């Protein structure tokens, strides 16, 4: 996991793109299911997006705690 985290943070805007991109797609999928009664994402794409969202959230919380302890 550490190597994956280092790889993601080595590219300049990749962490923000992965987090907010997955959040936006999942949010629009939920919106379209509630208000439009259609599925925007198929289940094979929805599951990896949830994984990416929670993975990036975990990396962010880890980094926040690390920076908080340094201060």
């Amino acid at each position: 996991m550490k190597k994956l985290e280092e790889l993601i943070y080595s590219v300049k805007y990749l962490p923000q793109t992965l987090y907010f991109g997955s959040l936006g797609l999942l949010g629009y999928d939920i919106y379209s299911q509630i208000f439009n009664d259609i599925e925007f994402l198929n289940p094979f794409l929805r599951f990896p997006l949830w994984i990416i969202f929670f993975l990036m959230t975990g990396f962010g919380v880890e980094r926040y705690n690390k920076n908080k302890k340094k201060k």
Side-chain angles (χ1 to χ4, degrees):
M1 282 306 266
K2 202 65 170 169
K3 287 187 179 187
L4 177 64
E5 185 177 4
E6 290 172 3
L7 174 69
I8 289 172
Y9 281 117
S10 68
V11 180
K12 189 172 184 179
Y13 292 111
L14 186 60
Q16 296 91 339
T17 303
L18 287 175
Y19 181 76
F20 290 112
S22 63
L23 180 65
L25 285 171
L26 290 169
Y28 187 73
D29 184 49
I30 292 169
Y31 168 80
S32 67
Q33 284 181 356
I34 292 173
F35 294 107
N36 298 335
D37 293 327
I38 60 168
E39 283 193 21
F40 178 68
L41 299 171
N42 64 10
F44 295 111
L45 193 59
R46 191 178 305 133
F47 183 69
L49 282 173
W50 279 111
I51 291 174
I52 290 171
F53 173 72
F54 286 124
L55 180 74
M56 294 307 297
T57 302
F59 287 162
V61 168
E62 229 178 86
R63 188 167 264 212
Y64 175 76
N65 286 336
K66 230 185 257 185
N67 289 339
K68 191 175 178 182
K69 287 180 183 178
K70 284 183 183 178
K71 290 182 179 181

